[in-house]
Amino acid sequence: MPTISVFDIFKIGVGPSSSHTVGPMKSARAFTVQLAESGAAVDKIQVTLHGSLAYTGKGHGTDSAIILGLMGCEPETLDPDAVDDMLRAVHSSGRLNVSGVGDISFSAATDLVFDYAEELPRHTNGMRFIASNSDGQHVLSEDYYSLGGGFVARGDEPESASQSGEPPYPFTSGAELLAMADQDSLTIAELVELNERQWRSKDEIRLRLMNIWSAMQACVERGLRTEGVLPGQMAVTRRAAKLHRKMLDREEPTVLDAMDWVNVYAIAVNEENAAGGRVVTSPTNGAAGIIPAVLHYYSRFVRKADDEGIMRFLLVAGAIGTLYKINASISGAEMGCQGEVGVACSMAAAGLVAAKNGTNSQIENAAEIGMEHNLGLTCDPVGGLVQIPCIERNAMGAVKAINAARLAMHGDGSHKVTLDQVISTMRQTGLDMSTRYKETSEGGLAVNVPEC
Ligand code: SF4
């Protein structure tokens, strides 16, 4: 298992999906780097999408992500406002300028194939890239996999480590995390920061954490002021801006004001995500609203909230995310929505306890509660779009995370079910779940709700 940093869990990217947009874009770009290094003359590139990428790829924008990746775009730096023009130029000219390779003829209708029949061996989110020369001979063929949360792997190679060097506290389970922290009298946030110090300076850690927080705030702000209809055949009307105005117009406070604000923050982020805007993958794009919503709740409603609390939140939430990545999966196509919204809820609950200076046991308890009541949550996006139930589900997940944190902080940290047990249960439940409920849009709401 590669070493995972908090900054692998939180990444600035574009919507609507980390597994179906961010991962494929990164894979396509990586294929062009291989091609350029090979020096081969290329006349044609054909890309086949398999498994869940075939079933819900159109709704999730996988085809567009592949084209942009072949052009050399990266999710972190791509300008979402430039995308439409770039794609229009490719489709109208029938030409694709492949990064490091050059201009080739390209037709999305024939060169981007959705293969519903065959799954590639390693993971349901598989892609096969084949480059040929003018004689039709294959000059390079490679399989890539999008493993959820923007993580990718090539063929049967292990996932490449994004960091070099083992950190001082190489925990791989909740029990190890608690024991290591206990042994050196550290809070979980302190321990995670010491691990990050293996790879970057204290100042850089602070800067990057605050950049993540700024990107989340910018995303919420855009979501709160943007109106209109989301892309896709369902013509879903955005509602965050209207809800926001309604709350600003409220003359008298109500007892559930905080909950209304949490709802609107989460919806704002997930509407931005559905519109292909810039979001922080946390730990996926489909679940990208939960952590920003709970962080905004902390910053607005918790007395004495400060930047140190924001950083504790992100360090601890990131550490909990790595436990799911190592011991289960953060891919909706593998685990259903429990692997996306459930994981984000668990991370946010733990982060909030850390921000409020709860104990290590309370943090572990909050993370456990956050997942326990998301077990079995299916993935059934209507029309293959990351909109229904995804947008509202983030609001529900954020409220649940705050409740999990409160329950944990009302106790002394002792509890019957451990975080490791619930992660293991989530994994087994995901393996037992029918593929109809794993990002294929073949079951649940996706077949019971008309698309338009
Ligand atoms: S239902 Fe959940 S896992 Fe599925 S696409 Fe929506 S947010 Fe992601």
Side-chain angles (χ1 to χ4, degrees):
M1 192 68 214
T3 306
I4 303 174
S5 156
V6 164
F7 301 106
D8 295 321
I9 297 292
F10 296 116
K11 298 178 286 277
I12 297 171
V14 288
S17 169
S18 47
S19 58
H20 286 54
T21 314
V22 174
M25 195 184 297
K26 286 167 73 173
S27 301
R29 187 174 189 283
F31 182 71
T32 66
V33 172
Q34 271 188 277
L35 256 185
E37 283 172 359
S38 76
V42 178
D43 188 60
K44 184 178 173 67
I45 293 178
Q46 189 168 55
V47 186
T48 314
L49 304 172
H50 297 262
S52 164
L53 291 182
Y55 281 107
T56 54
K58 285 203 174 105
H60 284 54
T62 308
D63 40 1
S64 301
I66 294 278
I67 294 170
L68 293 166
L70 291 173
M71 294 169 82
C73 297
E74 293 178 283
E76 299 80 15
T77 50
L78 175 70
D79 175 5
D81 294 331
V83 165
D84 284 351
D85 286 346
M86 292 166 78
L87 293 172
R88 206 173 297 121
V90 172
H91 294 308
S92 61
S93 68
R95 308 293 301 175
L96 180 65
N97 193 353
V98 179
S99 174
V101 172
D103 200 52
I104 62 168
S105 75
F106 184 85
S107 160
T110 53
D111 296 330
L112 259 175
V113 180
F114 291 79
D115 184 337
Y116 302 94
E118 187 197 357
E119 277 215 3
L120 297 184
R122 177 168 176 169
H123 188 283
T124 178
N125 288 336
M127 293 153 270
R128 180 158 291 163
F129 293 84
I130 298 174
S132 315
N133 62 20
S134 54
D135 295 331
Q137 290 168 327
H138 293 181
V139 294
L140 185 67
S141 170
E142 202 70 75
D143 291 347
Y144 276 85
Y145 295 91
S146 176
L147 305 174
F151 289 87
V152 298
R154 186 172 70 178
D156 54 7
E157 291 176 4
E159 279 181 69
S160 55
S162 63
Q163 325 294 328
S164 59
E166 183 157 292
Y169 299 100
F171 63 88
T172 57
S173 69
E176 282 178 5
L177 176 59
L178 286 177
M180 287 177 183
D182 188 47
Q183 190 179 331
D184 287 356
S185 302
L186 296 167
T187 66
I188 292 178
E190 287 168 343
L191 181 152
V192 178
E193 190 184 342
L194 287 169
N195 274 359
E196 293 294 329
R197 291 281 297 277
Q198 168 71 29
W199 305 307
R200 48 190 68 84
S201 71
K202 196 174 173 64
D203 287 347
E204 191 187 344
I205 294 167
R206 184 184 180 92
L207 185 71
R208 289 180 72 163
L209 290 172
M210 294 320 285
N211 280 347
I212 288 167
W213 172 226
S214 298
M216 289 178 174
Q217 288 174 296
C219 182
V220 165
E221 278 162 27
R222 274 195 316 276
L224 292 182
R225 68 177 138 80
T226 311
E227 312 229 26
V229 172
L230 293 171
Q233 68 277 26
M234 289 190 297
V236 170
T237 305
R238 294 174 78 132
R239 57 183 155 157
K242 194 172 167 196
L243 265 172
H244 185 224
R245 275 197 307 276
K246 214 169 162 181
M247 283 153 59
L248 292 177
D249 289 345
R250 205 174 261 171
E251 284 172 8
E252 294 290 326
T254 75
V255 280
L256 292 179
D257 274 357
M259 190 168 81
D260 287 343
W261 280 105
V262 170
N263 285 337
V264 78
Y265 292 139
I267 289 171
V269 171
N270 284 84
E271 286 179 351
E272 276 300 295
N273 181 59
R278 183 157 305 293
V279 298
V280 178
T281 304
S282 47
T284 66
N285 279 24
I290 293 173
I291 286 171
V294 178
L295 265 174
H296 276 80
Y297 161 82
Y298 167 73
S299 141
R300 185 179 184 126
F301 292 101
V302 174
R303 228 161 32 91
K304 297 191 180 160
D306 58 12
D307 286 353
E308 306 307 313
I310 303 273
M311 288 192 289
R312 285 195 299 279
F313 187 121
L314 289 171
L315 287 167
V316 168
I320 299 300
T322 65
L323 291 178
Y324 285 98
K325 169 76 182 143
I326 292 169
N327 296 299
S329 161
I330 54 172
S331 162
E334 265 191 309
M335 295 285 119
C337 200
Q338 56 171 0
E340 295 205 17
V341 162
V343 172
C345 177
S346 176
M347 291 167 63
L352 182 57
V353 174
K356 293 170 82 173
N357 284 311
T359 66
N360 290 349
S361 303
Q362 288 171 326
I363 288 170
E364 189 256 3
N365 190 191
E368 181 278 312
I369 298 170
M371 173 52 75
E372 185 178 325
H373 306 289
N374 279 300
L375 287 173
L377 192 63
T378 58
C379 169
D380 51 358
V382 179
L385 298 162
V386 196
Q387 298 180 7
I388 300 172
C390 320
I391 296 171
E392 246 172 36
R393 187 163 287 172
N394 274 257
M396 306 305 286
V399 170
K400 199 182 275 190
I402 295 168
N403 200 19
R406 290 183 71 82
L407 279 172
M409 289 194 79
H410 283 312
D412 64 4
S414 57
H415 51 286
K416 297 282 187 207
V417 183
T418 67
L419 175 58
D420 292 331
Q421 286 168 333
V422 89
I423 292 175
S424 166
T425 307
M426 184 274 248
R427 182 176 167 278
Q428 285 162 15
T429 306
L431 294 176
D432 290 342
M433 197 181 277
S434 161
T435 54
R436 286 205 297 275
Y437 302 107
K438 294 197 273 193
E439 219 160 354
T440 57
S441 288
E442 289 203 304
L445 287 172
V447 298
N448 286 293
V449 178
E451 289 178 23
C452 54

